[in-house]
Amino acid sequence: MNSNTAVLERPPAASAAVEHAEESNVYIAAISVRDIFADHTYQRDLDLPRARAMAEKWDVHKVGVIDVSDRGTDSPDRYAVINGQHRWSAARLVDPDYHLVANVHTGLTVAEEASLFYGIDAGTRRLTTWDRWNARRGALDPIVTAIESVVTTVGLAVDQSPQNGSIRCTSTLEKVHKLGGQVLLENTLRLIVEVWGHRLDAVDYPLVHGVALILHCYDTVLDHDRFGEVLIDFAPRQIKARAQALRETEKGQFGKLAALVMINAYNSSRGPKLDRTHLGRSDNNGRTTSSATPSRKERTHT
């Protein structure tokens, strides 16, 4: 054991973030790095170069106190690191027998560990969008759970992996869910899958947001079959390229520009036209209106 372990005060930002954890039993102990592990159901991926850089410039006066959850002697892995994963990883590189001073939280479920991780880490270091989503998933956030249920229903998975079948635009998924709930989200993703399959490039954020805006804003006037048939003639990259080109003449987010591209294509086909000025314009009831004539057939996915 290295005897040069310093005990420092918790940073003020972290102190405020963990007030909700005071109800659980917390004690302070020196824990061997061998007995600590990271649960990646909620913990961010390890940045190994960062850990190595910390090890190379190891300063005992900056180690501070990490946070772990004691899962008990019956657990194959006892101490789950909540706050301080990179300090723990760096300490292992410095000395495999190193002991770190830790606030040891007891009586937490895995979901409560995830919630505590989110609260502490958000206050001490900026989390990536995926870090936040993964932590909320581990904490059983009801919105994340509802969104992932819809995504699974259409044969996709919320995953960082750059492969077909994955969808990575978590912020957009939440934006669509806020706009129209699970029904709008499922209708949006199901239409995309019916047109382009489970292609990774088809569920980029501008296409997901753009399709959702059209389904929401022209709910009662859009001919869904005609819309799908129009989109089949375009590759996802073509819509995104045209949306990018619109930046020279139109204002708005990338998703709205993609929606305008799809509306223009829809209006170029035979049938009633959509009034593009109604995109994003809602009445007092929150439903967007349009001057177009209702289609003869509509399809609603529930």
Side-chain angles (χ1 to χ4, degrees), residues 5-286:
T5 302
V7 181
L8 303 181
E9 294 296 323
R10 183 196 304 278
S15 297
V18 297
E19 288 180 356
H20 67 284
E22 295 304 320
E23 296 179 0
S24 64
N25 294 320
V26 182
Y27 64 92
I28 297 178
I31 308 293
S32 169
V33 294
R34 295 182 183 273
D35 296 328
I36 300 172
F37 74 101
D39 186 340
H40 288 288
T41 61
Y42 62 82
Q43 185 66 249
R44 70 155 64 100
D45 290 338
L46 176 69
D47 183 345
L48 186 56
R50 179 187 170 201
R52 286 172 175 165
M54 292 171 65
E56 290 174 0
K57 299 180 180 180
W58 189 254
D59 184 346
V60 69
H61 300 291
K62 295 181 180 180
V63 176
V65 183
I66 68 172
D67 286 86
V68 300
S69 174
D70 184 351
R71 295 188 176 181
T73 56
D74 293 335
S75 174
D77 298 306
R78 182 164 182 178
Y79 299 104
V81 61
I82 295 173
N83 177 50
Q85 178 187 200
H86 286 86
R87 281 175 286 162
W88 160 63
S89 298
R92 289 193 301 171
L93 295 174
V94 172
D95 182 352
D97 292 316
Y98 205 101
H99 281 59
L100 291 171
V101 175
N103 290 304
V104 184
H105 301 261
T106 63
L108 299 179
T109 65
V110 175
E112 288 169 340
E113 289 178 9
S115 181
L116 182 58
F117 159 77
Y118 181 81
I120 295 175
D121 227 26
T124 56
R125 185 176 185 270
R126 184 174 178 82
L127 297 173
T128 67
T129 300
W130 180 254
D131 289 335
R132 293 179 184 277
W133 186 272
N134 202 35
R136 291 170 62 195
R137 172 196 280 165
L140 304 181
D141 182 300
I143 293 177
V144 170
T145 300
I147 290 173
E148 295 212 347
S149 175
V150 171
V151 171
T152 301
T153 297
V154 299
L156 296 167
V158 179
D159 196 295
Q160 272 191 310
S161 303
Q163 61 187 11
N164 292 338
S166 295
I167 183 167
R168 303 183 290 177
C169 55
T170 53
S171 295
T172 300
L173 292 175
E174 193 159 8
K175 184 182 297 183
V176 173
H177 185 269
K178 183 177 180 180
L179 180 65
Q182 289 178 255
V183 172
L184 177 61
L185 181 60
E186 182 173 346
N187 288 346
T188 297
L189 296 180
R190 195 174 294 281
L191 176 61
I192 289 174
V193 169
E194 288 179 354
V195 172
W196 292 299
H198 296 88
R199 293 172 51 173
L200 179 65
D201 63 346
V203 287
D204 279 349
Y205 79 92
L207 284 172
V208 174
H209 190 203
V211 170
L213 284 175
I214 292 173
L215 295 184
H216 178 72
C217 294
Y218 303 97
D219 180 41
T220 61
V221 298
L222 181 71
D223 183 332
H224 292 72
D225 290 328
R226 174 183 161 198
F227 185 42
E229 291 167 359
V230 166
L231 294 183
I232 287 176
D233 292 333
F234 292 86
R237 59 179 176 77
Q238 291 177 297
I239 294 176
K240 287 180 283 188
R242 294 189 182 192
Q244 187 66 42
L246 276 182
R247 289 187 184 277
E248 298 181 6
T249 57
E250 301 279 357
K251 295 181 179 180
Q253 297 179 335
F254 203 3
K256 180 181 178 182
L257 297 179
L260 288 174
V261 170
M262 289 182 274
I263 289 173
N264 290 341
Y266 182 90
N267 288 345
S268 297
S269 65
R270 181 177 299 178
K273 312 303 181 187
L274 300 178
D275 186 343
R276 50 177 279 159
T277 64
H278 289 176
L279 187 65
R281 184 190 303 172
S282 299
D283 60 22
N284 292 332
N285 295 321

